[in-house]
């Protein structure tokens, strides 16, 4: 909000400068919608991304360096323009921005959006992370399970965490026809899952084809039932094709798995797919028994076998659960709901 102030020596009133917001987000992140959606309020925006400047062959290594470079530039800009707010996306950008803010002695309100750690740091890395993440004023996570985990692990007060459902555009897939000709169910894993229980269960159901998409085949072990087909190192468009044309999604989690792939759960709901997953705190904000999902006890082969067989047989139930999930995603996991959340968040902090 603009505030008019009196400046000594002037004959009239002068306006205070617009709020300055610096964003440091992953390449491809559509963070600029913040500035366009909230254009009715006078703000000055600066955007930095971890876009590599190297050939594709060295893209991963270059991206790590690009994250450091983008973080340093973002903090330098925040210092130069006395920024009112720093917004970071992805945990590594949050780490480096917070670290460089400490190094450059920059005092700026820092919001970490979509904060998620695939692996918790150990040893010396834990000490660094605990020190650096502890300086962030607001960490926006995608589940209550993450709040509990990160708060206890790093010793960060729970009040600094704020939950906002994972959101995204409607998934795009290619090609526009099924890559698998037969009817099937699918499991997609971008991180390790409880494949031992899933494979043991599907072995009792030879009439149900299972398609698994995962980066590494060794996650499944040396033996697979004959009704299991494996896809490795697929593009995102291919993975979404397998999900789009499947009967429903299976996500088997380990008993003490605190986190899961929330983006995948949202994508499945957006595509109208029912979900079979482990009954755990990790999915409690997205999967609800007999509403949009079927939940089973962790590492219970008999329960998972029964759940898969029942949902495969009851086509109507599978469709109804998928429709319910689609409605839930539209209400809580859409770009529109995310925009409203950030509008309220900035307004609460007077920015």
């Amino acid at each position: 909000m603009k505030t008019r102030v009196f400046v000594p020596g002037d004959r009239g009133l002068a306006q205070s400068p617009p709020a300055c917001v610096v964003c440091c987000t992953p390449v491809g992140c559509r963070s600029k919608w913040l500035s366009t959606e909230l254009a009715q309020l006078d703000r000055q925006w600066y955007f930095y991304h971890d876009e590599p400047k190297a050939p594709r062959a060295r893209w991963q290594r270059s991206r790590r360096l690009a994250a450091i470079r983008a973080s340093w530039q973002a903090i330098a800009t925040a210092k130069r323009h006395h920024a009112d707010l720093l917004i970071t996306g992805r945990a590594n950008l949050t780490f480096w921005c917070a670290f460089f803010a400490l190094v450059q002695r920059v005092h700026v309100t820092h919001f970490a959006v979509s904060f998620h750690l695939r692996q918790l740091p150990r040893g010396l890395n834990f000490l660094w992370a605990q020190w650096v993440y502890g300086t962030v004023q607001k960490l926006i996570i995608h589940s209550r399970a993450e709040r509990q985990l990160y708060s206890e692990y790093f010793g960060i007060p729970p009040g600094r965490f704020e939950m906002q459902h994972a959101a995204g555009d409607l998934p795009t897939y290619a090609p526009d026809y099924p890559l698998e000709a037969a009817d099937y169910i699918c499991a997609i894993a971008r991180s390790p899952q409880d494949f031992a229980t899933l494979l043991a269960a599907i072995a009792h159901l030879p009439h149900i084809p299972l398609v698994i998409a995962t980066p590494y085949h060794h996650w499944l072990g040396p033996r697979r039932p004959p009704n299991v087909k494996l896809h490795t190192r697929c593009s995102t468009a291919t993975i979404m094709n397998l999900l789009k044309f499947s009967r429903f999604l299976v996500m088997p989690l380990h008993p003490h798995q605190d986190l899961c792939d929330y983006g995948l759960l949202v994508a499945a709901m957006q595509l109208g797919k029912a979900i079979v997953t482990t009954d755990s705190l990790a999915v409690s904000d997205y999967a609800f028994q007999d509403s949009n999902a079927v939940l089973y006890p962790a590492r219970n082969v008999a329960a998972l076998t029964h759940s898969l067989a029942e949902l495969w047989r009851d086509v109507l139930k599978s469709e109804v659960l998928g429709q319910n999930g689609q409605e839930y995603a539209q209400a809580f996991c859409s770009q529109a709901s995310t925009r409203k959340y950030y509008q309220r968040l900035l307004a609460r902090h007077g920015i």
Side-chain angles (χ1 to χ4, degrees):
M1 184 174 126
K2 294 182 180 179
T3 303
R4 302 187 73 191
V5 296
F6 177 75
V7 180
D10 287 353
R11 293 185 177 181
L13 294 176
Q15 291 183 343
S16 61
C20 177
V21 182
V22 178
C23 298
C24 187
T25 54
V27 61
C29 176
R30 298 181 179 181
S31 56
K32 289 193 176 183
W33 64 259
L34 281 168
S35 60
T36 55
E37 287 291 329
L38 306 176
Q40 69 274 18
L41 298 178
D42 192 9
R43 298 187 181 96
Q44 193 173 12
W45 296 83
Y46 296 91
F47 295 90
Y48 296 93
H49 304 287
D50 60 344
E51 184 171 8
K53 296 181 179 179
R56 183 74 180 182
R58 300 197 304 273
W59 192 73
Q60 285 296 338
R61 180 182 177 185
S62 179
R63 189 167 185 179
R64 286 192 290 269
L65 297 176
I68 297 174
R69 183 189 67 247
S71 300
W72 178 268
Q73 293 173 339
I75 296 303
T77 299
K79 182 177 182 178
R80 184 167 59 252
H81 294 281
H82 305 285
D84 299 279
L85 177 64
L86 169 68
I87 297 175
T88 58
R90 190 179 285 147
N92 66 327
L93 293 173
T94 297
F95 176 89
W96 286 114
C97 281
F99 176 75
F100 289 139
L102 289 168
V103 170
Q104 299 188 45
R105 297 183 180 180
V106 177
H107 302 284
V108 57
T109 301
H110 185 174
F111 291 171
V113 303
S114 299
F115 184 80
H116 176 75
L117 295 171
R118 292 188 176 181
Q119 290 183 334
L120 294 174
R122 308 286 181 182
L124 185 60
N125 288 335
F126 163 74
L127 297 177
W128 280 102
Q130 185 182 44
W131 175 50
V132 172
Y133 290 142
T135 65
V136 181
Q137 283 75 26
K138 185 73 68 177
L139 296 115
I140 300 168
I141 37 83
H142 292 319
S143 71
R144 291 172 294 173
E146 289 181 299
R147 175 192 285 121
Q148 179 177 328
L149 175 64
Y150 299 146
S151 177
E152 294 177 355
Y153 191 77
F154 293 112
I156 300 174
R160 291 196 189 178
F161 294 90
E162 194 163 311
M163 183 199 151
Q164 169 65 14
H165 284 86
D169 294 323
L170 184 67
T172 57
Y173 52 90
D176 57 358
Y177 55 86
L179 290 172
E180 295 290 335
D183 203 8
Y184 63 93
I185 63 176
C186 76
I188 298 169
R190 290 177 276 200
S191 58
Q193 294 183 5
D194 185 13
F195 285 118
T197 300
L198 175 58
L199 294 179
I202 205 67
H204 297 294
L205 304 168
H207 63 290
I208 301 179
L210 170 64
V211 175
I212 299 177
T214 181
Y216 309 108
H217 62 84
H218 67 264
W219 284 356
L220 276 68
R223 296 183 179 179
R224 296 191 296 273
N227 56 329
V228 174
K229 186 171 182 180
L230 177 64
H231 292 259
T232 58
R233 302 184 182 276
C234 301
S235 66
T236 301
T238 299
I239 291 174
M240 290 299 108
N241 177 283
L242 297 174
L243 178 59
K244 166 67 178 178
F245 295 103
S246 67
R247 182 82 67 86
F248 54 84
L249 172 72
V250 189
M251 182 182 283
L253 303 180
H254 293 288
H256 304 294
Q257 190 169 339
D258 299 296
L259 308 175
C260 68
D261 191 341
Y262 299 111
L264 176 60
L265 287 175
V266 172
M269 288 190 288
Q270 288 176 328
L271 292 173
K273 300 301 172 183
I275 300 166
V276 176
T277 187
T278 310
D279 188 3
S280 71
L281 181 62
V283 299
S284 59
D285 295 302
Y286 296 86
F288 309 97
Q289 178 67 23
D290 291 334
S291 175
N292 68 332
V294 175
L295 307 178
Y296 70 94
R299 282 190 179 168
N300 191 320
V301 175
L304 178 54
T305 303
H306 174 75
S307 299
L308 295 177
E310 180 185 42
L311 198 58
W312 177 266
R313 182 175 58 252
D314 195 341
V315 178
L316 179 60
K317 179 178 180 179
S318 177
E319 293 177 352
V320 170
L321 295 184
Q323 291 172 1
N324 291 343
Q326 201 167 41
E327 293 176 2
Y328 185 84
Q330 290 172 354
F332 298 100
C333 308
S334 65
Q335 290 287 8
S337 62
T338 301
R339 284 193 287 269
K340 291 178 182 178
Y341 166 77
Y342 282 110
Q343 287 173 344
R344 294 192 299 268
L345 179 66
L346 295 182
R348 285 204 317 263
H349 290 81
I351 298 174

